[in-house]
Structures are given as structure tokens and as C-alpha cells.
């Protein structure tokens, strides 16, 4: 057999997978981490077992292809497992930073994770934001992610500094008025409405 014919029969190799990069640190406040842990525990110990029981009960009722309880339960189980995997990764990568912890020297007045910052925008309007974890963002309360454009602009600045906020359409000048480190209130995890936290299976 010719050499070119032998080469044609060799199996093609797929692309070599890239080695995994360093895991992104998940900076988070103590209260924010506790909320993730509470949700993780709720899904593992309450909602998932309840849905598993419903799926098992529905499967025993016959034809699964037209069994709404079974189909919904399997879909819900997939959603729960996906959320559990996500929470596990976020908790494992957590780097806890307490906003109320004392800072020494210049760090006490410079913007870092956990800071509550008062700044003035180009129009002269004052804004107050707290820099928190990705899982703790609450724009209604002024809680912004440490990876957001505003937080990136404010980082390491001190009162009196002027920084540039880079936006797609323009660059805006911000003036730092005050930097404070104090507790940042977080709402605790609450069981969602309609959650199947206890088995609701009719037994014959």
C-alpha cells in the first residue's frame, strides 16, 4: 500500500485541550458567602430530595413520555443540579473580605473591595456605592460588583482624587468625596415561593 494511502487511514486527532487557567477568585463578604451556603444547603438537603421523590413517584405511574409530573420533575432536577454545581464552584473559590475589618494607614482611606464610596460625577451629582462580590450585586441599594467599570475606575483612589470612568461612548471624570469601611447589610437567603422543599407525594 502506498504511503499516501496509509496516511489517509490514520485517525485524525482532535485539538489538544488547553490546560486550565488559574481559578478566578470570588471576593465576597461574610454575609454574602453565608447566603450562598444557605442556598446550597437548602437545595441539597430539602428541595432536591423532595423533587427526586416526586420524580420517582411519577415514574411509577406508567408512560413517562406523557407524564407531566415526571417531565417537569426531571427538568427541575436538572436545574437544581446545575445550580448546586454553580454554587459549589462559587463557594470553593470564595475569598472572604470583611468590609468592617480595620484597615491600617493609607489603606483605610483608599478604595478596595468592601469600601463604601461617595463620588461626584461630571454633572456634579453625588453617588454612593458599595463594592461587593459578583453574587452580591444589588443596584437598588448601590451595591456594585468589584469587577464593574465603576469599581475598576474607583479602585485604589482616595478622597480628593479624580479618576476616569471608561464607557463605550465616552470617558467620564469622577471625583472621590469619601471612602468608608463599614458593615454592608445583606439580605439572607430566603426559600423561593413555590419551592418544593418538602415531599408532596400522595401515597396509596
Amino acid at each position: 500500500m502506498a504511503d499516501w494511502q496509509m496516511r489517509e487511514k490514520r485517525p485524525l486527532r482532535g485539538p489538544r485541550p488547553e490546560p486550565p487557567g488559574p481559578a478566578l477568585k470570588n471576593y465576597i463578604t461574610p454575609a454574602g458567602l453565608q447566603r450562598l451556603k444557605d442556598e446550597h444547603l437548602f437545595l441539597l438537603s430539602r428541595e432536591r430530595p423532595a423533587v427526586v421523590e416526586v420524580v420517582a413517584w411519577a415514574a411509577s405511574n406508567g408512560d413517562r413520555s406523557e407524564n407531566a409530573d415526571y417531565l417537569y420533575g426531571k427538568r427541575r432536577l436538572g436545574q437544581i443540579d446545575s445550580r448546586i454545581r454553580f454554587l459549589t464552584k462559587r463557594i470553593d473559590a470564595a475569598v472572604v473580605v470583611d468590609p468592617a475589618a480595620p484597615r491600617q494607614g493609607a489603606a483605610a482611606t483608599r478604595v478596595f473591595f468592601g469600601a463604601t464610596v461617595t463620588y461626584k460625577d461630571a454633572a456634579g451629582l453625588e453617588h454612593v456605592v458599595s463594592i461587593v462580590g459578583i453574587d452580591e450585586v444589588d443596584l437598588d441599594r448601590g451595591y456594585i460588583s468589584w469587577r464593574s467599570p465603576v469599581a475598576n475606575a474607583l479602585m485604589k483612589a482616595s478622597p480628593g482624587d479624580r479618576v476616569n470612568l471608561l464607557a463605550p461612548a465616552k470617558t467620564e471624570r469622577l471625583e472621590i468625596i469619601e471612602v468608608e469601611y463599614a458593615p454592608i447589610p445583606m439580605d439572607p437567603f430566603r426559600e423561593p415561593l413555590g419551592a418544593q422543599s418538602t415531599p408532596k407525594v400522595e401515597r396509596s
Side-chain angles (χ1 to χ4, degrees):
M1 182 180 293
D3 185 56
W4 65 270
Q5 290 175 311
M6 293 179 62
R7 283 200 300 271
E8 281 188 349
K9 294 180 180 295
R10 290 174 184 166
L12 295 174
R13 292 182 180 178
R16 293 183 179 179
E18 293 291 331
L24 180 66
K25 292 180 180 179
N26 178 28
Y27 289 101
I28 193 168
T29 69
L33 178 59
Q34 188 59 53
R35 185 167 63 186
L36 295 186
K37 288 182 175 180
D38 289 345
E39 182 184 357
H40 188 263
L41 179 63
F42 166 76
L43 293 175
L44 271 177
S45 64
R46 294 179 59 191
E47 187 165 23
R48 191 181 193 284
V51 174
V52 166
E53 187 167 347
V54 169
V55 169
W57 167 78
S60 69
N61 289 337
D63 185 3
R64 299 178 182 182
S65 64
E66 297 183 4
N67 187 327
D69 287 330
Y70 176 81
L71 295 175
Y72 171 79
K74 288 290 287 185
R75 185 167 63 250
R76 179 63 188 139
L77 197 57
Q79 294 169 344
I80 292 171
D81 287 343
S82 177
R83 181 65 179 171
I84 288 173
R85 287 193 298 270
F86 172 80
L87 290 171
T88 300
K89 290 179 181 178
R90 302 299 291 159
I91 292 168
D92 289 346
V95 177
V96 180
V97 179
D98 187 353
R103 268 77 172 172
Q104 301 299 321
T109 57
R110 296 182 71 186
V111 179
F112 296 103
F113 182 94
T116 295
V117 186
T118 303
Y119 69 89
K120 190 180 296 185
D121 64 20
L125 298 176
E126 286 194 3
H127 305 265
V128 179
V129 296
S130 296
I131 300 175
V132 298
I134 295 172
D135 304 298
E136 304 173 289
V137 171
D138 186 342
L139 298 183
D140 291 336
R141 301 171 76 174
Y143 296 176
I144 64 172
S145 163
W146 65 279
R147 300 188 68 198
S148 67
V150 173
N152 285 334
L154 298 175
M155 281 293 177
K156 299 184 180 180
S158 300
D161 289 349
R162 287 176 170 81
V163 299
N164 292 326
L165 171 60
L166 303 178
K170 63 177 181 177
T171 298
E172 187 174 1
R173 194 79 163 162
L174 310 179
E175 180 184 356
I176 314 302
I177 305 299
E178 184 181 7
V179 178
E180 179 187 15
Y181 287 95
I184 300 175
M186 289 286 168
D187 294 330
F189 169 74
R190 292 185 175 89
E191 180 180 319
L193 294 175
Q196 203 151 14
S197 58
T198 53
K200 299 175 182 177
V201 177
E202 295 180 3
R203 302 182 185 280
S204 57

